Amino acid sequence: MPTVPLPADLRAALADELQSTAPSRASAHVDRLIENYRGATPTAAPILRDAADVAAYAAYRMPATYAAVRAALGAFRLQSGDWTPRTHLDLGGGTGAATWAVADAWRDAAHHSTVLDWSQPALTLGATLAKAADSAAVRDAEWTRQPLGAAAPLPRTDLVTVSYVLGELTAAARESLVTAAAEAAGGAVVVVEPGTPEGYARVIDARDRLIAAGLHVLAPCPHDGRCPVTGDDWCHFAARVQRTALHRQVKGAVLPYEDEKFSYVAAARFPAAPAGARVVRHPQIRKGLVLLDLCRVPAALERTAVSKRHGSTYRAARDTDWGNAWPPADPA
């Protein structure tokens, strides 16, 4: 699967800020964070409670969150044409992983980001990391403390990202936050959650609310119909993350990478067409044959066989990945 590299400036900033963090101390906080981020139990307070929690999060979760959001934005950009956000609201942004991802996705466009979160320690570390960014959009971002899911309206903005935060909220607060995000977004909303059955369920609920609010899905779905993934299955994708040295120490890991599984939806208000289909499983490569599991229009799952006789399309099928649009724009 494709590797999503952590920007060199973010990697360096994390190393500088966390050099005094003891891996053994951070590991205890990481164990609790794993349960919260992968579980289904909402909280009435921020998961990131203090500076120690935030340091553990930054070491363990920030690179993976960045990779998942950047992968989702990449899929969205392939369908969104020349649309470019001038303003960006990072809801529940914590230390700003999505803000870094948006800056990387639109490197040549000037935009202003606002990170809104209910954890002041997370915002404080995020603002500190941002000072070392190469991108002016990250360096000049605003960091604002505000309860999530509150009734207060959000500022009007072009792009809203909501990443890895819905699982922290009660059902009522999730509904309120997604509804507010849809109302605030003049251009698009991108929601990213862990690639678990619970995370997928939250994404599907957000997807339904975004469609009801007048947005249309650009990725990953090729349609606005009901998701055809049913039963014990769930729709998710993956991005490969290069682990930092502290990340490996905190997790007691040996491999220099990990695969972050995530579910997401990217929906827009502006005219643009989704992909004709989406690869929703690892392609199966046989001798002279590639089997692709696709989500198609109308809403349905279908297995397609691409053989050598398909010429350039066969070569494209051998090169395609889980999560890619299909067919490619230019199979040659």
Side-chain angles (χ1 to χ4, degrees), residues 78 114 118 144 151 160 220 222 327 329:
L78 287 176
T114 299
W118 56 351
T144 304
V160 180

Side-chain angles (χ1 to χ4, degrees), residues 79 220-222 274-280 294-297 323-327:
Q79 308 307 136
C221 322
R278 180 78 55 184
V279 180
V280 294
L294 303 174
C295 182
R296 286 195 175 278
V297 180
N324 284 3
W326 185 262

Side-chain angles (χ1 to χ4, degrees), residues 138-209:
V138 179
R139 289 196 310 273
D140 298 338
E142 294 183 30
W143 303 80
T144 304
R145 186 171 184 267
Q146 179 175 314
L148 301 177
L154 299 173
R156 190 72 171 170
T157 189
D158 292 331
L159 172 66
V160 180
T161 54
V162 187
S163 57
Y164 288 80
V165 69
L166 296 181
E168 299 182 36
L169 306 177
T170 64
R174 284 198 298 271
E175 177 182 350
S176 176
L177 188 68
V178 174
T179 298
E183 292 174 350
V189 179
V190 178
V191 178
V192 185
E193 283 287 296
T196 62
E198 296 83 7
Y200 162 71
R202 293 189 291 267
V203 167
I204 286 298
D205 181 71
R207 179 182 184 272
D208 291 344
R209 295 186 187 283

Side-chain angles (χ1 to χ4, degrees), residues 239-329:
R240 180 152 290 177
V241 184
Q242 294 296 330
R243 288 173 169 149
T244 63
L246 180 59
H247 190 174
R248 292 197 298 272
Q249 292 174 328
V250 166
K251 293 195 68 177
V254 175
L255 292 176
Y257 65 86
E258 71 174 10
D259 295 333
E260 173 67 10
K261 295 180 180 179
F262 63 97
S263 295
Y264 77 100
V265 61
R269 289 196 184 280
F270 54 85
R278 180 78 55 184
V279 180
V280 294
R281 295 287 184 274
H282 284 295
Q284 298 183 39
I285 299 178
R286 306 283 190 265
K287 186 175 181 180
L289 185 70
V290 181
L291 301 177
L292 300 177
D293 289 310
L294 303 174
C295 182
R296 286 195 175 278
V297 180
L301 298 177
E302 176 184 292
R303 173 162 287 187
T304 296
V306 184
S307 66
K308 283 187 174 181
R309 66 183 176 84
H310 292 101
S312 60
T313 301
Y314 169 72
R315 292 192 294 273
R318 287 185 61 87
D319 291 337
T320 199
D321 272 308
W322 178 20
N324 284 3
W326 185 262

Side-chain angles (χ1 to χ4, degrees), residues 229-246:
V229 179
T230 58
D232 295 332
D233 201 0
W234 67 97
C235 185
H236 63 288
F237 304 94
R240 180 152 290 177
V241 184
Q242 294 296 330
R243 288 173 169 149
T244 63
L246 180 59

